[in-house]
Amino acid sequence: MDDRLTHFDASGNAVMVDVSEKAVTTRIAEARGSIQVNQAVYDAISNGTAKKGDVLGVARIAGIMGAKKTSDLIPMCHSLMISKCTVDFTMHPETLSIEACCIVKVSGQTGVEMEALTGVNLALLTIYDMCKAMDKGMEITNVRLIEKQGGKSGHYKREEA
Amino acid sequence: MDDRLTHFDASGNAVMVDVSEKAVTTRIAEARGSIQVNQAVYDAISNGTAKKGDVLGVARIAGIMGAKKTSDLIPMCHSLMISKCTVDFTMHPETLSIEACCIVKVSGQTGVEMEALTGVNLALLTIYDMCKAMDKGMEITNVRLIEKQGGKSGHYKREEA
Amino acid sequence: MDDRLTHFDASGNAVMVDVSEKAVTTRIAEARGSIQVNQAVYDAISNGTAKKGDVLGVARIAGIMGAKKTSDLIPMCHSLMISKCTVDFTMHPETLSIEACCIVKVSGQTGVEMEALTGVNLALLTIYDMCKAMDKGMEITNVRLIEKQGGKSGHYKREEA
Amino acid sequence: MDDRLTHFDASGNAVMVDVSEKAVTTRIAEARGSIQVNQAVYDAISNGTAKKGDVLGVARIAGIMGAKKTSDLIPMCHSLMISKCTVDFTMHPETLSIEACCIVKVSGQTGVEMEALTGVNLALLTIYDMCKAMDKGMEITNVRLIEKQGGKSGHYKREEA
Amino acid sequence: MDDRLTHFDASGNAVMVDVSEKAVTTRIAEARGSIQVNQAVYDAISNGTAKKGDVLGVARIAGIMGAKKTSDLIPMCHSLMISKCTVDFTMHPETLSIEACCIVKVSGQTGVEMEALTGVNLALLTIYDMCKAMDKGMEITNVRLIEKQGGKSGHYKREEA
Amino acid sequence: MDDRLTHFDASGNAVMVDVSEKAVTTRIAEARGSIQVNQAVYDAISNGTAKKGDVLGVARIAGIMGAKKTSDLIPMCHSLMISKCTVDFTMHPETLSIEACCIVKVSGQTGVEMEALTGVNLALLTIYDMCKAMDKGMEITNVRLIEKQGGKSGHYKREEA
């Protein structure tokens, strides 16, 4: 862990940091997050995957396309050519929440945490958009990095209770 | 509230819904969300607003630019010409969290909830990006619509405990 | 019909034409086009709509998102806030082809032919992309404007045999 | 040739496939397609290349810029840094059609068929846009992959009658 | 003229200002700027407009497409649906410079100065790109607003010597 | 130096040139340019860096984000994954001008002059945007390449008086 903000120079100016000396390695990141919905939305999404409207199918695509756009959205992010991206969902009926999981892989000089987190966020925002006529109270929550491999900082695995 | 998914037609196909019959009115939406950080990040952000690196200044711009890109990111969202967008932050030292608030205004045929939510999400993701060298365990949470005015569905104000 | 190229000035320079004097009216355009595939792809798409991989679901989203990006892709196209966009598919087993139909609606000063045609093209290109491991010989064909309503030039309906 | 849809996982979910194990090789793709026009448009384009309005010059740029945007348009396409892109046109007076040919080259882990096809499509759509005041009946047709080199699947050359 | 920075709120935070109370009027802006080149580039551009490579034709398209992207590039700019955009060039043999002029028109609540200036800049940058193999010393200069009509601040005409 | 326009083929058609045979080397470019302002704007920017509105902080981000978008803006530019980008400003009270300096680094097959120049231009345009309510007469000037390292053409250093 660094003990300072690496995205600013000594004068406090934002910079896109120099990664040219970093090794090209395979880097993988997994992020997760959830959206809390009401019963009606939960049922519509559960039932909808087959024929009535595939909310999660649309959200998955938004997540994957969003992960590809990360460097266009996050000011100091480097452009990357990601070699793999998946977005998957787990339904949690007991808490009326849908969890999104985005895994991104790259062979490059910088990690893909931001791509995975952006993929999760955009997938969840798309669920909100497609269901907001039924429930305006939905809430996106617990968006976090689960695991990260590759690069100098090595393996990171979030400890969860 | 609708009792069905409005973004799919009778066959279950995703559609960008027809808003051409909706009235052009002034519409405002406010969304909020937070990022939970560790003490080191909290201090760096608190101290940094002046000279050492203005994390929130960068995040604000990312939020505003992101709100403008919403229809490019959320598949079924209509393009809008938003007439105002602000992103503000509140520091919560007791919980080590930073809250982002995005307010968007438009004169148009469809609401700006998604723009406000997207603005919040991208501002928080940018904080994550700029501080991730110090703390990989940050978590984006409680992203939600606070208030919405204008349009047929009228005034919505989230009830919070 | 004009008898000259309206997108160039008297000196032959490309221009984005002035539409400021045109009336704001409701304008609708419908475009269609097809992709010719082999039997294996045809079967995979037919069977896939439910569970094995919804090629047409992905292509539909690409078409709708593409229609929204038209002015970013076609140099002299005006930006528009389209009020509706749908992309639908018809399977033609006798010819092993899938037909895409894109309908776009706007209230504005210029038509949406290009948006509808772009939506069709990107939907068909996405089918190509998702099936190209099974058939490289697919062919996009018969992309054309079917109907156009609104605006000074009035109603256009393609005559088809 | 694969006998299944590679862009979906075992559960039928769309994925951006993992190309990280594929070799970095030089890959080239050539795609072609045509637009069928009426006599007036044909003459305007033929005469226009010099002084009266260079339709094909504008279409060429749209094709090249479009090829660069492919991964932004086709949901499951990987971002690529293409090392070369050309778009050329052949006039066919006997059939009143203009043929576009797009050749794309990359040194990378995945092919550039989609880039070449997207380049052709956007070039042809731009011709449509610039000439639509003269002829609404134009038709984009025969968009197909002509040749593909590099990568595990080897050399592909379309057999044409 | 305002005597303060209108793009910041009372706390100094950047905002996308509220234009919702401004009148929808026709607004026009004209910007100009030049690129200083060496004799070889000047000759290549002068001769090239016909057959050998139309540098200015490419630059014109880049300028028009760039003007449409302004709100995506300038953080606090509002999205606009511009109704007209032209980019023209004047050759100045005596000073070996090429002047670009961009005129943008809109019916809206905010002006189009930034669109016109962005159009000029991107046209000139494109000239630089296409000629940089011949001359790395080119210089973009005198990019300025020439005239502005419409809106509360009224008519502005730059006084030039 | 080349003695011809390399971005056109033998027939005069614009091409995105083939860089696949060029070596992958570290390439760095530095560009600079200035904006001439009036006294009121100069003072507002000088005073504003701390608390009243950080014009240069916003402009810096626009410059960095703009440099990343270069290949989307300049028609024949190759996409690049830049490994570093900084934008800095120098205040010149004696001439009432602010100078922007953009340095871009890449490990790739083609140089980053255009990225550095685009970064400078977009930073300066953003200053114009944020201060235009106070001064419409600002002028962007002297945008030029200062230095370039790496690649076959070797080291270039602009000679300035």
Side-chain angles (χ1 to χ4, degrees):
Chain A
M1 285 290 122
D2 260 283
D3 62 350
R4 53 180 199 89
L5 296 172
T6 51
H7 283 55
F8 295 95
D9 65 18
S11 314
N13 298 325
V15 292
M16 190 175 151
V17 296
D18 190 348
V19 298
S20 62
E21 300 304 312
K22 297 173 77 172
V24 175
T25 64
T26 297
R27 294 155 191 270
I28 304 180
E30 175 184 337
R32 293 190 187 210
S34 295
I35 187 165
Q36 190 69 37
V37 302
N38 70 11
Q39 187 73 51
V41 167
Y42 190 87
D43 293 347
I45 293 178
S46 301
N47 300 331
T49 46
K51 199 70 241 234
K52 303 268 199 56
D54 183 4
V55 172
L56 301 185
V58 179
R60 178 178 290 113
I61 295 169
I64 292 173
M65 294 183 84
K68 289 194 281 182
K69 273 190 232 275
T70 301
S71 69
D72 205 36
L73 299 173
I74 310 295
M76 301 300 144
C77 257
H78 293 80
S79 302
L80 284 175
M81 294 190 304
I82 61 182
S83 50
K84 176 193 171 183
C85 181
T86 60
V87 174
D88 285 298
F89 300 97
T90 310
M91 303 293 292
H92 291 288
E94 70 289 2
T95 52
L96 293 181
S97 68
I98 298 116
E99 187 183 37
C101 172
C102 180
I103 299 178
V104 179
K105 195 172 172 182
V106 78
S107 173
Q109 292 179 301
T110 175
V112 281
E113 303 97 297
M114 294 316 302
E115 280 72 12
L117 288 162
T118 302
V120 165
N121 257 317
L122 287 171
L124 297 175
L125 281 170
T126 299
I127 294 177
Y128 189 101
D129 181 46
M130 302 196 80
C131 301
K132 67 180 189 291
M134 293 177 75
D135 180 9
K136 287 185 177 33
M138 288 174 286
E139 190 169 342
I140 293 173
T141 195
N142 291 109
V143 180
R144 65 217 187 274
L145 182 66
I146 298 296
E147 190 166 1
K148 175 184 186 308
Q149 300 174 50
K152 199 180 62 175
S153 69
H155 190 203
Y156 167 83
K157 180 100 174 72
R158 184 185 181 87
E159 287 174 36
E160 305 216 309
Chain B
M1 285 290 122
D2 260 285
D3 62 349
R4 57 183 195 85
L5 296 172
T6 50
H7 283 56
F8 296 95
D9 65 17
S11 313
N13 298 326
V15 292
M16 190 175 151
V17 296
D18 191 348
V19 298
S20 61
E21 299 304 312
K22 297 173 77 173
V24 174
T25 63
T26 297
R27 295 155 190 270
I28 304 180
E30 174 185 339
R32 293 188 187 213
S34 295
I35 187 165
Q36 189 69 37
V37 303
N38 68 14
Q39 187 72 51
V41 168
Y42 190 86
D43 293 346
I45 293 178
S46 300
N47 299 332
T49 45
K51 199 70 241 228
K52 301 268 200 57
D54 183 2
V55 172
L56 302 185
V58 180
R60 177 177 291 113
I61 295 169
I64 292 173
M65 295 184 83
K68 291 195 280 183
K69 272 190 232 275
T70 302
S71 70
D72 205 35
L73 299 173
I74 310 295
M76 301 300 144
C77 257
H78 293 81
S79 302
L80 284 175
M81 294 191 302
I82 61 182
S83 49
K84 176 194 171 182
C85 181
T86 58
V87 173
D88 284 299
F89 300 97
T90 311
M91 304 292 292
H92 291 288
E94 69 289 3
T95 53
L96 292 182
S97 68
I98 298 118
E99 188 183 37
C101 172
C102 180
I103 299 178
V104 179
K105 194 171 172 183
V106 79
S107 172
Q109 292 178 302
T110 176
V112 281
E113 303 97 296
M114 294 317 301
E115 280 72 12
L117 288 162
T118 302
V120 165
N121 257 316
L122 287 171
L124 297 175
L125 281 170
T126 299
I127 294 177
Y128 190 101
D129 180 46
M130 301 196 81
C131 302
K132 68 180 190 290
M134 293 176 75
D135 179 11
K136 287 185 176 38
M138 289 174 287
E139 190 169 341
I140 293 173
T141 195
N142 292 107
V143 180
R144 64 215 187 276
L145 181 67
I146 298 295
E147 189 167 2
K148 176 184 185 306
Q149 300 174 49
K152 198 180 61 174
S153 69
H155 190 204
Y156 167 82
K157 180 98 172 74
R158 184 186 182 88
E159 288 175 35
E160 304 216 310
Chain C
M1 285 289 122
D2 261 284
D3 62 350
R4 57 183 194 85
L5 296 172
T6 50
H7 283 55
F8 295 94
D9 66 16
S11 313
N13 298 327
V15 292
M16 190 174 152
V17 295
D18 190 349
V19 298
S20 61
E21 300 303 313
K22 297 173 78 173
V24 174
T25 63
T26 298
R27 295 157 191 270
I28 303 180
E30 174 184 339
R32 293 189 186 213
S34 296
I35 187 165
Q36 189 70 36
V37 302
N38 69 13
Q39 187 72 51
V41 168
Y42 189 87
D43 293 346
I45 293 177
S46 301
N47 300 332
T49 46
K51 200 69 241 228
K52 302 268 201 56
D54 183 3
V55 171
L56 301 185
V58 180
R60 177 177 291 113
I61 295 168
I64 292 173
M65 294 183 85
K68 290 194 281 184
K69 274 190 230 275
T70 301
S71 69
D72 204 36
L73 300 172
I74 310 295
M76 301 300 145
C77 257
H78 293 80
S79 301
L80 283 176
M81 294 190 303
I82 61 182
S83 49
K84 176 192 171 184
C85 181
T86 58
V87 173
D88 284 298
F89 300 97
T90 310
M91 303 292 292
H92 291 288
E94 70 288 3
T95 53
L96 292 181
S97 68
I98 298 117
E99 187 183 37
C101 172
C102 180
I103 299 178
V104 179
K105 195 171 173 182
V106 79
S107 173
Q109 292 178 302
T110 175
V112 280
E113 303 97 297
M114 294 317 301
E115 280 74 10
L117 288 162
T118 302
V120 164
N121 257 316
L122 287 171
L124 297 174
L125 280 170
T126 299
I127 294 177
Y128 190 101
D129 180 47
M130 302 197 81
C131 301
K132 67 181 190 292
M134 293 177 74
D135 179 10
K136 288 185 176 37
M138 289 175 286
E139 190 169 340
I140 293 174
T141 195
N142 292 108
V143 180
R144 66 216 187 275
L145 181 67
I146 297 295
E147 191 167 1
K148 176 183 184 308
Q149 301 175 48
K152 197 180 64 173
S153 70
H155 190 202
Y156 167 84
K157 181 98 173 74
R158 185 184 181 89
E159 288 175 35
E160 304 215 310
Chain D
M1 284 289 121
D2 261 283
D3 61 350
R4 55 183 196 86
L5 296 172
T6 50
H7 282 56
F8 295 94
D9 65 17
S11 313
N13 298 326
V15 292
M16 190 174 152
V17 296
D18 190 348
V19 298
S20 60
E21 300 303 312
K22 297 172 79 173
V24 174
T25 63
T26 297
R27 295 156 190 270
I28 304 179
E30 174 185 338
R32 293 188 187 211
S34 295
I35 187 165
Q36 189 70 37
V37 303
N38 70 13
Q39 187 73 50
V41 168
Y42 190 87
D43 292 346
I45 293 178
S46 301
N47 300 331
T49 45
K51 200 70 241 226
K52 302 266 202 55
D54 183 2
V55 172
L56 302 184
V58 180
R60 177 178 290 112
I61 295 168
I64 292 173
M65 294 183 84
K68 289 194 281 183
K69 273 190 232 275
T70 301
S71 70
D72 205 35
L73 300 172
I74 309 295
M76 301 299 143
C77 257
H78 293 80
S79 302
L80 284 175
M81 295 190 303
I82 61 182
S83 49
K84 176 193 171 183
C85 181
T86 60
V87 173
D88 284 298
F89 300 98
T90 311
M91 304 292 293
H92 291 288
E94 68 288 3
T95 53
L96 293 181
S97 68
I98 298 118
E99 187 183 37
C101 172
C102 179
I103 299 177
V104 179
K105 195 172 173 182
V106 78
S107 173
Q109 291 179 303
T110 176
V112 281
E113 303 97 298
M114 294 316 302
E115 281 72 13
L117 287 162
T118 302
V120 164
N121 258 315
L122 287 171
L124 296 174
L125 281 170
T126 299
I127 294 177
Y128 190 101
D129 180 47
M130 302 196 79
C131 301
K132 67 181 189 292
M134 294 177 74
D135 179 9
K136 288 186 175 35
M138 288 174 286
E139 190 169 340
I140 293 174
T141 195
N142 292 107
V143 180
R144 66 217 186 274
L145 182 67
I146 297 295
E147 191 167 2
K148 175 185 185 307
Q149 300 174 50
K152 198 179 64 174
S153 70
H155 190 204
Y156 168 83
K157 180 96 174 74
R158 184 185 182 88
E159 288 176 34
E160 304 215 310
Chain E
M1 284 290 122
D2 261 284
D3 61 351
R4 53 180 199 89
L5 296 172
T6 51
H7 283 55
F8 295 94
D9 64 17
S11 313
N13 298 327
V15 292
M16 190 174 152
V17 296
D18 190 348
V19 298
S20 61
E21 301 303 313
K22 297 173 77 172
V24 175
T25 63
T26 297
R27 295 155 191 269
I28 304 179
E30 175 184 338
R32 293 191 187 210
S34 295
I35 188 165
Q36 189 70 35
V37 302
N38 69 13
Q39 187 73 51
V41 168
Y42 190 87
D43 293 346
I45 293 178
S46 302
N47 299 331
T49 46
K51 201 67 240 233
K52 301 268 200 58
D54 183 2
V55 171
L56 301 185
V58 180
R60 177 179 290 113
I61 295 169
I64 292 174
M65 294 184 84
K68 290 195 280 183
K69 273 191 232 275
T70 301
S71 69
D72 206 35
L73 300 173
I74 309 296
M76 301 300 144
C77 257
H78 293 80
S79 302
L80 283 176
M81 294 190 303
I82 61 182
S83 50
K84 176 192 171 184
C85 181
T86 58
V87 174
D88 284 299
F89 300 97
T90 310
M91 303 292 292
H92 291 288
E94 70 288 2
T95 53
L96 292 180
S97 68
I98 299 118
E99 187 183 37
C101 172
C102 180
I103 299 177
V104 180
K105 195 172 172 182
V106 78
S107 172
Q109 292 179 302
T110 177
V112 282
E113 302 97 297
M114 295 315 302
E115 281 72 12
L117 288 162
T118 302
V120 164
N121 256 317
L122 286 171
L124 296 175
L125 280 170
T126 299
I127 294 177
Y128 189 101
D129 181 47
M130 302 196 80
C131 301
K132 68 181 189 291
M134 293 176 75
D135 179 9
K136 288 185 176 35
M138 289 174 286
E139 190 168 341
I140 294 174
T141 195
N142 292 109
V143 179
R144 65 215 188 275
L145 181 67
I146 297 295
E147 189 166 2
K148 177 184 183 308
Q149 301 174 49
K152 197 180 62 174
S153 69
H155 190 204
Y156 167 83
K157 181 100 174 72
R158 184 186 182 87
E159 286 175 37
E160 304 215 311
Chain F
M1 286 290 122
D2 259 284
D3 62 348
R4 56 182 195 86
L5 295 172
T6 51
H7 282 55
F8 296 95
D9 65 16
S11 312
N13 298 326
V15 292
M16 189 176 153
V17 296
D18 190 348
V19 298
S20 61
E21 300 303 313
K22 297 172 78 172
V24 174
T25 63
T26 297
R27 295 155 190 270
I28 303 180
E30 174 185 338
R32 294 189 186 211
S34 296
I35 188 165
Q36 190 70 36
V37 302
N38 68 14
Q39 187 74 50
V41 167
Y42 190 86
D43 293 345
I45 292 178
S46 301
N47 300 331
T49 46
K51 199 71 241 229
K52 302 267 200 56
D54 184 1
V55 172
L56 302 185
V58 180
R60 177 178 290 113
I61 296 169
I64 292 173
M65 294 183 84
K68 290 195 280 183
K69 273 191 231 273
T70 301
S71 70
D72 205 36
L73 300 173
I74 309 296
M76 301 301 144
C77 257
H78 293 81
S79 302
L80 284 177
M81 294 190 303
I82 61 182
S83 49
K84 176 193 171 183
C85 180
T86 58
V87 173
D88 285 298
F89 300 98
T90 311
M91 303 292 292
H92 291 288
E94 69 289 2
T95 53
L96 293 181
S97 68
I98 298 117
E99 186 183 38
C101 172
C102 180
I103 299 178
V104 180
K105 194 171 172 183
V106 79
S107 172
Q109 292 179 303
T110 176
V112 281
E113 303 96 297
M114 294 317 301
E115 281 72 12
L117 287 162
T118 301
V120 165
N121 258 316
L122 286 171
L124 297 175
L125 280 170
T126 298
I127 295 177
Y128 189 101
D129 180 46
M130 301 197 80
C131 301
K132 67 181 191 291
M134 294 177 75
D135 180 9
K136 287 184 176 37
M138 289 174 286
E139 191 168 341
I140 293 174
T141 194
N142 291 108
V143 180
R144 65 216 188 276
L145 181 67
I146 297 295
E147 189 167 2
K148 176 184 184 307
Q149 300 174 49
K152 198 180 61 174
S153 69
H155 190 204
Y156 167 83
K157 181 97 173 75
R158 184 184 182 88
E159 288 174 37
E160 303 215 311

